Amino acid sequence: MDHNKLALPVGTTLDRFIMRKQEDFPYATGELSQLLRDIALAAKIVNREINRSGLIDIAGAYGSQNVQGEDQQKLDVIANIRFIRALRNGGEVCTIISEEDEEMIQTGNNQGKYVVAIDPLDGSSNIDVNVSIGTIFSIYRRVSPTGTEGTERDCLQTGTHQVAAGYVIYGSSTMLVYTTGNGVNGFTYEASLGEFFLSHPHITTPKTGAIYSINEGSSDHFSEGTTAFVAYCKQQNYSARYIGSLVADFHRNLLKGGIYMYPATKKAPKGKLRLMYECNSLAFIVEQAGGKSSDGRNRTMELEPKGMHERSPLFIGSTELVEKAEEFLAAEYSDVVAAL
Ligand code: AHM
Ligand code: MG
């Protein structure tokens, strides 16, 4: 009997993978590695809270609104506390931007070299009905001198300056997917061992796909270009798939090929999604996986952020589909932007 078949290796843990990657950079000090491990630790805790949310009184609305004027769920607040605490205790981060906090958060770690932008729990209106939700993050190196508090300039860098980005999907299994600019790797959480294991090495996204994801309930407010592109998707017999949970919609399309869209609408001329901790993070990942992300005309990662909670339209996924959407939008896009 082949003993290896009796007990298959469990594989590479996230910690070991991060350590190995660090060895690839001879002058790396390990701070970014530690920071990624802090995020993974908070993700495990948040995963635990989500899994038992039906049993204890942490599902449902918190009774307040966040900076965007959206109802906060209790788990939004809990996830925010967990990630901020992990980043504060870790010591590598001087400043955090969170979807849940209007102002930037100073961690008190003025020696920290990094700034994190995070949506601690995205798609949280789906929590009560057991639909997948996620955490999205971007990591930047600060531009202000260490030893001082982080500044707005540290927080408002273009997406091209990200040193790492990732997401956690709390779904039928929990996964952490991240990039440090050298490809994309995915890790699946093994709850009984309390570890993330490498399950999706070198993720590449198909060049094209047959899935389009958009909230067609808003179609009365779509621009002509968006309407025409959606009609094109139907002519091609693409499948419509829209969970309404960005990480879940993005993750599916990343693996299978497709396009996710949150366009500018007449009601929301800059769309809904936030540039700093939703669009840019996923844009870095999709590009590293061979895909594309734009606001319909401009590369997402080159957009100049003017505010920490700024919104941007988002067309993201397989390169051919994003380029096709851009073609449809090209004619009218200049009018939309002119009207902003
Ligand atoms: P949130 O950050 O308040 O959770 O909102 C973001 C979510 C995304 O996960 C999702 O893709 C989008 O909002 C859905 O919006 P809509 O209901 O307008 O389609
Ligand atoms: Mg969000």
Side-chain angles (χ1 to χ4, degrees), residues 185-201:
N185 292 284
F187 300 79
T188 300
Y189 186 54
E190 220 298 12
S192 64
L193 297 174
E195 295 275 12
F196 284 99
F197 287 94
L198 180 63
S199 53
H200 295 62

Side-chain angles (χ1 to χ4, degrees), residues 66 68 70-71 76 99-100 119 121-126 132-134 136 214-218 242-250 260-262 272-274 277-278 311 314:
N66 67 9
Q68 333 283 340
E70 296 151 349
D71 290 336
D76 277 332
E99 180 182 317
E100 302 303 328
D119 182 350
L121 207 55
D122 183 74
S124 53
S125 60
N126 287 314
S132 300
I133 45 183
I136 315 173
I214 189 167
N215 184 348
E216 284 199 74
S218 304
Y242 192 74
I243 298 169
S245 193
L246 176 60
V247 173
D249 280 309
F250 175 81
Y260 173 94
M261 296 168 271
Y262 209 109
K272 175 183 184 187
L273 301 174
R274 273 52 59 112
Y277 40 79
E278 291 174 328
R311 296 172 197 268
L314 183 66

